[in-house]
Amino acid sequence: MTWPGWRDWIFSGKTFAAAMLALYVALLFDLPRPYWAMTTVYVVANPLTGATVSKALYRTLGTLLGAAAAVVLVPLLVNARELLLLAVAAWAGGLLYVSMLHRTPRSYVFMLAGYTLPLIALPAVTAPATIFDLAVARSEEIIVGIVCASVVGAVILPMSLGPVVGARVGQWLDSATDWAGDILRQREVRPDTPLARQKLAAGIAELDMMISQLSYDAGARDVRHWAQALRGRLLLLLPVLSSLNDRLHALRRDGGSMPEELESLSREVADWLPRAKADDHAADRFRATITALEPRREQLHRWDSILHASLLARLRELVDLWQDCLTLHDKLMRRDDDTPWKPVLRHRPALNAARHYDHGMMMFCALSAVCASFTAGLLWIASGWVGGAYFMALTTVACCFFGTLDQPAVPMRTMVVFFGLSQLVAGIYVFGVFPRIHDFELLVLILAPPLIIGGSLLPRPERALMMMMLTVNSVATLAMQGRYNMDFEVFLNEGLAVIGGVSFALVWTLVTKPFGAEWAARRLIHAGWRDMANLAAGRSLHDHATLASRTVDRLGQLVPRLGDSDDNAGKVVDGLAELRVGYNILALQRDRRLLPAPLKPHLNGVLDGVANWYRQRLRNAPDEAAAGALIERIDQALTATVEWGQGGAARNTLEALVGLRRALFPHAAPPPDTIGDGALSLTG
């Protein structure tokens, strides 16, 4: 067990101070439930100032939206309780679906609004005339907590998000450096990309969330555009490294070897990457060497020469991208917004916010939450359970928090255990300690030890969920008010309703969602194949940036699931090879209009073949005959390009065909040494 560091203790102390300030202000203004202000502090608190501010802003908006809905729905439907329960459940499920469409801090607005409505509306069903006062009071209490958390976080030892993003990018680049070094020093012997290397895509998904919060951090707001540009460059590094690995493998397969000059250049670049600087002149020397090593145009009718040309093109892209990444990383770390930046790699747009959404799965999660919430409400009404409003409310909360996960039962079990533990702790305080406390100072002293110790564990990702549940529910269950008036029967009834609601959500999940990561991973893999089929058939219009963003986003969702899955077939999927296929399809579609007429039917045949190949993969695994037919089409297109192609478009087409062949069939035997009868013309 790793003990909390000094930063964790500082964060915990700040959070406790903000919570006590919120409780004091709420008591001072005689708000009906001041403990909600204190609870809110622990909900929104984050070691990073920007994250606290963003969560505070969106919690405010979500609370106001949910409270407004409660004020509208309760008076309208209070006399038709089943209809009211259905409306509450539909509201929560609908906003859960909307929150899944916003994988940014904005999603918190919709998720919070979804479960705020039942927390406010359901306890007021028996006294609908109080709903407006209850909604206003709840909003005031939460806003007090939000303001206190934000002010204390921004004034007392604030921690800017910018250096944290810069450090995370540095760690990502270190991992990419290790991979590139293994490739260039010929330690990477596989033609595909191992799962461990594909996990870099998941790292970009984490960076996305952090970058989206930079605009809320006064200390890092001015470099947000540099962070976004850097994210785009990191996206491009993945397929470049994957392609570089593939070309080197192809050149040295079957005991082959590369020219000594190319071997030496690869080693030099590998040695340069860990110590490279943004303005390093070695990069210019590498580009000059790459230009000198490029095969002459009359050599481009040989397979090994085409591979050399493709390898050198990827190596040039690596050098250019690496320089861009280092420049942007340096600007981010130094908060340099004054010096203009001119990218070295310009021929590929690298910035896009396209995402992959599994709308079918999202709809299933939302409908499951609606049905679970509504069913819990019907059980409450049928049983006549006093205090059962929290049974339905907590069922809704649990489904909103965890219903989108592949295996929500795991954290729900943890939630049940820690909610039970928090009820026990709160009971000891409420009935054993609080009756002996008569002033605020003593209350602070009594609460300090458990809350400061618990708060020090909140920044730890492996313990954050457990400690959040324990801390937040304990604080809420203490129900601290200006006058002690706790009734044991009410305390027990509400405690059972809270634990019962989460337990019901757990049982519902076990029954309705028995599948796990394997099924979700399979859907993601099939979505990628479907995208490739539509792209090759010309049914989807994408550019490189959209393709890269969407594919890497899908890969970022897929890789963690493959790590948790027992599906060995899924684990051999090379998501970066799929991205390379997409790039090459786009290149063929872009350049074929510039090529001579005799060449176009061959390219159209390749694209049709790729579309059919992925359609067959969706139905079942293609057989060897289908693979051989597609390889033959690609080889015929290679021959036609060498014989008929002219200019830069022909050379780009040649590289795209090579990349397509290698990405789809990395283990296939190479084509004949001589492709076609003539050399590729680069004029005309």
Side-chain angles (χ1 to χ4, degrees):
M1 176 178 177
T2 304
W3 292 101
W6 63 271
R7 294 181 186 274
D8 301 327
W9 289 110
I10 289 176
F11 163 73
S12 183
K14 289 168 54 179
T15 305
F16 180 74
M20 293 301 100
L21 176 61
L23 179 61
Y24 180 81
V25 172
L27 290 171
L28 181 66
F29 286 96
D30 199 25
L31 296 179
R33 296 182 179 179
Y35 55 90
W36 275 113
M38 183 179 171
T39 304
T40 299
V41 172
Y42 279 94
V43 172
V44 303
N46 191 288
L48 303 174
T49 305
T52 300
V53 172
S54 69
K55 197 170 184 180
L57 172 64
Y58 291 130
R59 184 170 178 83
T60 301
L61 295 175
T63 299
L64 293 176
L65 183 59
V71 171
V72 172
L73 288 178
V74 171
L76 284 176
L77 303 175
V78 70
N79 294 321
R81 292 193 177 181
E82 290 78 6
L83 190 58
L84 175 60
L85 299 183
L86 180 59
V88 169
W91 168 273
L95 288 182
L96 176 62
Y97 180 84
V98 175
S99 73
M100 288 186 279
L101 295 175
H102 294 267
R103 278 186 274 140
T104 67
R106 286 195 301 274
S107 66
Y108 193 51
V109 174
F110 306 105
M111 185 174 71
L112 185 69
Y115 68 74
T116 294
L117 172 61
L119 287 173
I120 294 178
L122 298 180
V125 167
T126 56
T130 65
I131 184 61
F132 181 79
D133 293 337
L134 181 61
V136 170
R138 175 71 186 273
S139 301
E140 290 174 341
E141 290 150 4
I142 287 178
I143 290 173
V144 167
I146 286 170
V147 171
C148 291
S150 301
V151 170
V152 171
V155 172
I156 302 177
L157 299 175
M159 182 180 293
S160 177
L161 188 58
V164 177
V165 174
R168 188 66 60 87
V169 171
Q171 295 170 1
W172 194 97
L173 289 174
D174 288 342
S175 298
T177 300
D178 293 340
W179 184 21
D182 289 343
I183 292 171
L184 295 171
R185 293 188 182 96
Q186 302 187 27
R187 296 173 188 159
E188 197 80 59
V189 297
R190 297 174 52 172
D192 56 348
T193 305
L195 182 61
R197 301 303 191 185
Q198 296 183 64
K199 288 183 178 178
L200 287 169
I204 292 181
E206 295 175 7
L207 282 171
D208 274 347
M209 182 61 73
M210 299 177 71
I211 290 172
S212 67
Q213 294 176 332
L214 286 175
S215 58
Y216 305 97
D217 192 327
R221 191 177 298 137
D222 51 347
V223 293
R224 181 172 181 264
H225 56 293
W226 296 133
Q228 289 176 324
L230 179 56
R231 177 255 187 194
R233 298 284 148 177
L234 298 181
L235 277 177
L236 282 181
L237 263 177
L238 293 173
V240 167
L241 288 173
S242 176
S243 183
L244 190 63
N245 174 51
D246 174 80
R247 301 301 185 275
L248 283 167
H249 178 271
L251 282 170
R252 61 177 180 262
R253 63 178 295 170
D254 300 327
S257 62
M258 294 192 303
E260 180 58 33
E261 299 88 349
L262 193 51
E263 291 271 14
S264 176
L265 175 63
S266 297
R267 288 193 297 269
E268 287 183 30
V269 173
D271 293 337
W272 169 75
L273 290 175
R275 52 184 176 80
K277 297 180 180 179
D279 56 351
D280 201 332
H281 295 294
D284 295 327
R285 178 169 56 83
F286 292 145
R287 293 187 193 96
T289 304
I290 289 170
T291 301
L293 291 177
E294 287 178 345
R296 296 187 301 275
R297 65 185 185 184
E298 60 269 17
Q299 296 177 312
L300 291 179
H301 65 289
R302 297 182 58 85
W303 176 248
D304 59 347
S305 297
I306 296 174
L307 284 178
H308 282 144
S310 181
L311 170 62
L312 290 168
R314 301 292 83 75
L315 198 57
R316 183 191 295 274
E317 285 187 335
L318 173 62
V319 173
D320 293 348
L321 270 174
W322 202 256
Q323 232 182 336
D324 283 345
C325 289
L326 293 178
T327 301
L328 291 167
H329 186 222
D330 183 62
K331 293 174 77 65
L332 182 62
M333 295 298 291
R334 294 190 295 108
R335 291 183 55 193
D336 176 16
D337 194 34
D338 300 324
T339 308
W341 171 63
K342 188 176 182 179
V344 180
L345 184 71
R346 305 180 199 174
H347 69 280
R348 284 186 179 178
L351 182 61
N352 201 297
R355 297 288 185 268
H356 169 76
Y357 297 102
D358 188 343
H359 291 281
M361 194 66 175
M362 291 161 57
M363 185 64 71
F364 173 83
C365 293
L367 289 175
S368 178
V370 171
C371 294
S373 180
F374 183 58
T375 303
L378 293 179
L379 291 175
W380 163 41
I381 296 297
S383 66
W385 184 3
V386 178
Y390 289 105
F391 175 76
M392 177 180 177
L394 265 293
T395 298
T396 307
V397 170
C399 289
C400 287
F401 261 103
F402 305 118
T404 60
L405 301 179
D406 294 333
Q407 296 173 310
V410 176
M412 283 182 181
R413 287 193 188 98
T414 304
M415 193 175 186
V416 171
V417 172
F418 278 85
F419 270 26
L421 182 59
S422 66
Q423 292 293 137
L424 178 61
V425 172
I428 294 173
Y429 267 83
V430 168
F431 298 104
V433 178
F434 283 176
R436 295 170 175 79
I437 296 176
H438 303 289
D439 55 67
F440 186 77
E441 292 78 8
L442 184 57
L443 175 65
V444 172
L445 187 62
I446 291 297
L447 292 176
L451 290 182
I452 291 179
I453 293 173
S456 68
L457 300 175
L458 285 174
R460 301 300 179 94
E462 67 276 12
R463 303 189 186 97
L465 177 63
M466 296 182 294
M467 294 312 302
M468 175 66 73
M469 293 176 186
L470 182 60
T471 304
V472 171
N473 194 59
S474 295
V475 171
T477 307
L478 291 175
M480 287 172 285
Q481 302 182 48
R483 291 163 295 279
Y484 181 83
N485 60 354
M486 182 58 69
D487 181 271
F488 181 76
E489 184 178 349
V490 173
F491 177 86
L492 182 62
N493 206 358
E494 292 184 353
L496 291 175
V498 167
I499 298 174
V502 181
S503 300
F504 180 78
L506 170 61
V507 173
W508 181 275
T509 298
L510 291 172
V511 173
T512 62
K513 201 173 183 180
F515 45 84
E518 293 88 351
W519 193 58
R522 196 174 301 115
R523 287 180 63 86
L524 286 166
I525 293 169
H526 286 185
W529 293 348
R530 196 175 299 109
D531 269 5
M532 290 300 103
N534 292 335
L535 189 64
R539 296 177 182 174
S540 300
L541 296 179
H542 288 315
D543 55 21
H544 283 84
T546 300
L547 176 70
S549 295
R550 183 169 177 175
T551 304
V552 173
D553 179 67
R554 182 165 51 240
L555 189 58
Q557 298 178 52
L558 175 62
V559 168
R561 290 179 166 102
L562 292 181
D564 297 335
S565 172
D566 296 327
D567 184 1
N568 293 324
K571 292 185 179 182
V572 301
V573 171
D574 185 353
L576 294 179
E578 176 188 301
L579 182 55
R580 286 158 38 206
V581 169
Y583 274 167
N584 292 316
I585 290 172
L586 289 175
L588 292 179
Q589 292 174 334
R590 177 195 64 204
D591 293 329
R592 61 179 169 176
R593 59 186 176 83
L594 304 175
L595 296 170
L599 182 53
K600 292 180 181 179
H602 293 281
L603 300 182
N604 292 337
V606 169
L607 292 172
D608 290 341
V610 172
N612 290 330
W613 172 262
Y614 278 106
R615 291 191 192 106
Q616 289 182 44
R617 296 189 75 176
L618 285 168
R619 292 192 297 268
N620 48 55
D623 54 25
E624 293 185 7
L630 181 53
I631 292 174
E632 185 178 354
R633 285 191 183 190
I634 295 174
D635 290 347
Q636 290 172 353
L638 282 169
T639 300
T641 304
V642 169
E643 292 181 349
W644 297 95
Q646 295 181 352
R651 186 155 189 164
N652 292 338
T653 299
L654 199 65
E655 284 193 10
L657 291 169
V658 172
L660 203 58
R661 193 183 198 277
R662 290 293 308 160
L664 289 173
F665 309 107
H667 300 284
D673 288 341
T674 301
I675 300 174
D677 299 324
L680 179 68
S681 172
L682 300 182
T683 61

